[in-house]
Amino acid sequence: MAEVNVEKLAGDIGTTVDKLLQQFSQAGITKQAGDNVTEAEKATLLDHLSKQHGGTGSEGPARMTLQRKSKSTLSVTGSTGKAKAVQVEVRKTRTYVKKSAVEQEQEQQRLAAEEKARLEEQQKAEQAAAELKAKQEAERKAKEDADRKAKEEAKRKADAERKAKQQQMTPEQSAKSEKDRIEAERLQKEAEEAALKKAEEEAKRQAEEARKLAEENSARWKKEEEERKKREETADHHLTTSTYAREAEDVADAREEQGSRRAKKKKKAPAKDKFTASKGKKGKLKAPASLQHGFQKPTADVKNEVRISETITVAELASRMAVKGAEVVKTMMKMGDMVTINQVIDQETAQLVAEEMGHKVIIVKENELEQTVLNDRHEDGKSEPRAPVVTVMGHVDHGKTSTLDYIRSAKVASGEAGGITQHIGAYHVETNGNMITFLDTPGHAAFTSMRARGAKATDIVILVVAADDGVMPQTKEAVQHARAAGVPLIIAVNKMDKEGADPDRVKNELAQLDVIPEEWGGDTQYVHISAKTGLGIDDLLEAVLMQSELLELNAPTEGMAAGVVIESRLDKGRGPVASILVQSGTLNQGDIVLCGLEYGRVRAMRDENGKEIKSAGPSIPVEILGLSGIPAAGDEATVVKDERKAREVALYRQGKFRDVKLARQQKAKLENMFTNMTEGDVSEVNVVLKADVQGSIEAISDSLTKLSTDEVKVKIVGSGVGGITETDATLAAASNAIVVGFNVRADASARKVIDSENLDLRYYSVIYSLIEEVKQAMSGMLAPEFKQEIIGLAEVRDVFKSPKIGAIAGCMVTEGTIKRSAPIRVLRDNVVIYEGELESLRRFKDDVADVRNGMECGIGVKNYNDVRVGDQIEVFETVEVQRTL
């Protein structure tokens, strides 16, 4: 900051120059009227003036007082027994006094003297400890020397005495004396070692005592140092506290009376225990320190490993993640799922939620019971060669069943509806002394899942391709299924007896799918056959046997059987019937079988021709009776020892299946909830489906579900194996569904309900017709589509004003027809500027209904008068267009 002279400073602070010079002189600064004044001189003058007027100058106040006031309410019982509230005001005053320079110097001298005395005392203690240690060491050495000398003297005397005695002894006495001497030396040595050990322990004890003494001195000095620092801190201020409480006179009397009563009670009361003695101000028990928990809230979220089974409730999931259930519900709401705390969710949803909340998920299967039952199985005997299981695949009408039919020498194809195989047939045949088991899979696209199951149970796939038709979509599917299952392919080029047969075309098309013939350097056998004439059938069987030898197919023939369910159905007279392909062991009549969700004892077994058999080995297909229900095609069939455990496993699986199904249904409902809210109602075709076998139901359900669109959906409200019953008809009536029977019929009671409720009942034996008719029914439920068609266009040539109507446009019809009843648009420069309707249409002075192309007319537009010359008036109508799927 720039310096100023005395005159300017006097003007700035509003005083005379003489007075300012006098104040400078009193402050010990000599100044003249024109001299400059520095910042330091200003500060000195200001400090002098502050002290002159009773202030402290730049040193600050020597004394500072802080006041605090608090109010509280006490509840006091008066003489009448009623509680009264008494306001108590507590005022606290704290005064801090600053020491003067003299006092501070004295305090520092006192502290320095204390520190010096402490150090001198510490040095004296250390010196005394060192002297004590030296004295003890000297005493120990002197004692050791005296002991050593005494021992040497005693040993010398003993040796002299021993030699004198030996001269007087016989040899036997001498040997005995030598032995006693050695024993005495050993005892003496042990005594010396014990004494030495005792001396070491005594030295250790003394060292430990010295260490403890040093620690005690150090702790005492440290405590004195802390007390000294505390005295320094507390000496800086003095605390004065005054408590002021005003009470009404009757309240004071009441408290006095209450106090006297308490005094009497105290005299009578027995001694209190330690818990009562530690009561607080309000008389509440205070827990001892040993009972107070020391839990601290984690500073960060704890990430756990969460084990999730196939189904789990929201509450259980929250417990395993160690979070509140509300947090899980909130997270699922953010993900679009509306759930409750007790709702069961499926494994996939629970995994997503847990990972969203940052936890590690471990997927577990709760199948300990199943493992226990299945581990009880044992397979005896060594593995022996078994027959190959061959699946015949191919496109529709390429001759799969006819090929197998020729091999079996039985007309199976004639028994199939429309010549199309509807469900899996399993047969075993013998050729040239060797046995082969064949699985015939349907070729229609709807039965993809059945064909995939056939590939899982098979060893070799025969792919039948028509020589005149080539590779078709289902041929490609069959190649994909065989590759996915890791099964070798044998290509049977069929219909070689036809004139248009072209086997090279088949090879070229399959080569594009990486199915390379052996003659081209590949590993796939190609056999030319004719299912009609039998051409090449023997070569095909030879190729199958050669491939099976390369695969070295073996299976144990003894022991408990295991296999796979090929097909299942409900027979009216026999109950649930399951077709099983035995894969290992031997299946006997009377065995207890566990099939997926069902179990039972084998009451009867039949082969594919309906002949009763007692046992079946590996690669043999059989039909078994006696299961508790209809197993799903593709389920594993396992023989177990204990029927009770088999029932437990089946019931457990059924419960799990039900839980998983409910969880998935709930998930689907929740996922569709918001969609349905926004899109409005979606039309549904409800179907009750009954079929003869389980595989057909799966395939038809899959095909119908795939027909669903965003507007019309197919919903299978009920399905099952067997005839149409009264229950099915009642369900269809309640859900407004159509009843579809595939190779089954309705019984009398069901027909009665169907007639009374006017239900739509349809029978089918070929799947093509079923899908086509459901598709037509869905097309009728589609919302109609509306389209606008322009039917006429008029150009405004002139505009007239009418007092009644307003602007009248004189127009020339340039396209189509102008109709009075149709809506119109007014266009200006090909831009729509108004949409409405006509108020009047005249030709000359007559009102007309329409005006054709090339004629003039007058047009009045309703509620619109801004018609100009050159505008165009467009007339259109809305047409409904029928939609199809």
Side-chain angles (χ1 to χ4, degrees), residues 219-291:
R220 180 167 56 81
W221 296 331
K222 188 175 180 182
K223 187 176 179 182
E224 290 175 356
E225 180 69 16
E226 289 176 354
E227 288 177 352
R228 182 182 64 76
K229 289 181 179 178
K230 194 173 180 182
R231 283 199 305 273
E232 289 176 6
E233 292 173 359
T234 55
D236 288 344
H237 61 82
H238 304 288
L239 174 66
T240 58
T241 305
S242 61
T243 303
Y244 174 72
R246 292 183 179 176
E247 300 177 12
E249 190 175 349
D250 57 336
V251 175
D253 294 341
R255 293 190 84 173
E256 189 177 349
E257 183 181 346
Q258 194 173 11
S260 62
R261 287 179 187 168
R262 285 180 183 168
K264 289 178 183 177
K265 285 181 181 178
K266 281 182 181 178
K267 289 177 183 177
K268 295 179 181 179
K272 306 290 184 185
D273 60 10
K274 62 179 179 179
F275 291 110
T276 312
S278 61
K279 284 190 178 183
K281 290 181 181 179
K282 295 186 178 180
K284 291 184 179 178
L285 279 175
K286 204 174 184 181
S290 60
L291 296 180

Side-chain angles (χ1 to χ4, degrees), residues 33-279:
D35 293 346
N36 288 335
V37 182
T38 63
E39 288 297 323
E41 290 171 343
K42 286 182 189 177
T44 305
L45 176 63
L46 188 62
D47 191 28
H48 167 71
L49 293 174
S50 175
K51 290 179 178 178
Q52 191 176 9
H53 290 85
T56 58
S58 59
E59 298 176 359
R63 187 184 187 89
M64 186 169 63
T65 303
L66 298 179
Q67 292 184 345
R68 191 176 68 178
K69 183 167 66 174
S70 63
K71 291 184 179 181
S72 59
T73 305
L74 293 177
S75 181
V76 180
T77 306
S79 57
T80 57
K82 292 183 179 180
K84 293 184 180 180
V86 178
Q87 294 287 338
V88 178
E89 183 179 284
V90 179
R91 297 175 183 172
K92 291 183 180 179
T93 304
R94 178 171 288 181
T95 303
Y96 295 92
V97 180
K98 185 175 181 181
K99 294 179 180 178
S100 63
V102 177
E103 289 176 339
Q104 287 180 357
E105 188 177 352
Q106 291 175 353
E107 181 67 21
Q108 287 176 358
Q109 290 175 357
R110 183 182 63 77
L111 294 176
E114 287 182 0
E115 180 68 17
K116 186 179 179 182
R118 186 182 67 79
L119 290 173
E120 289 176 356
E121 186 179 352
Q122 186 176 352
Q123 287 175 357
K124 287 179 182 178
E126 289 174 354
Q127 188 176 358
E131 290 175 357
L132 176 64
K133 188 175 180 182
K135 184 179 178 183
Q136 288 174 347
E137 186 68 20
E139 290 176 354
R140 184 179 65 79
K141 284 184 178 180
K143 186 178 179 184
E144 286 178 358
D145 291 342
D147 291 343
R148 182 171 51 78
K149 289 178 181 178
K151 287 177 184 176
E152 289 176 355
E153 184 66 25
K155 187 176 180 183
R156 187 179 58 77
K157 289 181 179 179
D159 288 343
E161 290 176 1
R162 180 174 54 78
K163 285 178 180 178
K165 286 182 180 179
Q166 280 181 350
Q167 291 175 357
Q168 301 173 4
M169 288 181 184
T170 63
E172 291 82 2
Q173 291 175 338
S174 179
K176 185 178 179 183
S177 174
E178 183 65 22
K179 189 175 180 182
D180 292 342
R181 185 185 65 76
I182 292 171
E183 180 66 21
E185 285 180 354
R186 185 182 65 79
L187 293 173
Q188 185 179 2
K189 189 175 182 182
E190 287 179 356
E192 288 175 356
E193 288 176 354
L196 183 62
K197 188 175 180 182
K198 187 175 180 181
E200 288 177 354
E201 289 177 355
E202 180 66 20
K204 285 182 181 178
R205 185 184 64 76
Q206 291 176 355
E208 184 68 20
E209 287 178 355
R211 186 183 62 79
K212 286 183 179 179
L213 180 63
E215 287 179 356
E216 288 174 0
N217 290 336
S218 177
R220 180 167 56 81
W221 296 331
K222 188 175 180 182
K223 187 176 179 182
E224 290 175 356
E225 180 69 16
E226 289 176 354
E227 288 177 352
R228 182 182 64 76
K229 289 181 179 178
K230 194 173 180 182
R231 283 199 305 273
E232 289 176 6
E233 292 173 359
T234 55
D236 288 344
H237 61 82
H238 304 288
L239 174 66
T240 58
T241 305
S242 61
T243 303
Y244 174 72
R246 292 183 179 176
E247 300 177 12
E249 190 175 349
D250 57 336
V251 175
D253 294 341
R255 293 190 84 173
E256 189 177 349
E257 183 181 346
Q258 194 173 11
S260 62
R261 287 179 187 168
R262 285 180 183 168
K264 289 178 183 177
K265 285 181 181 178
K266 281 182 181 178
K267 289 177 183 177
K268 295 179 181 179
K272 306 290 184 185
D273 60 10
K274 62 179 179 179
F275 291 110
T276 312
S278 61
K279 284 190 178 183

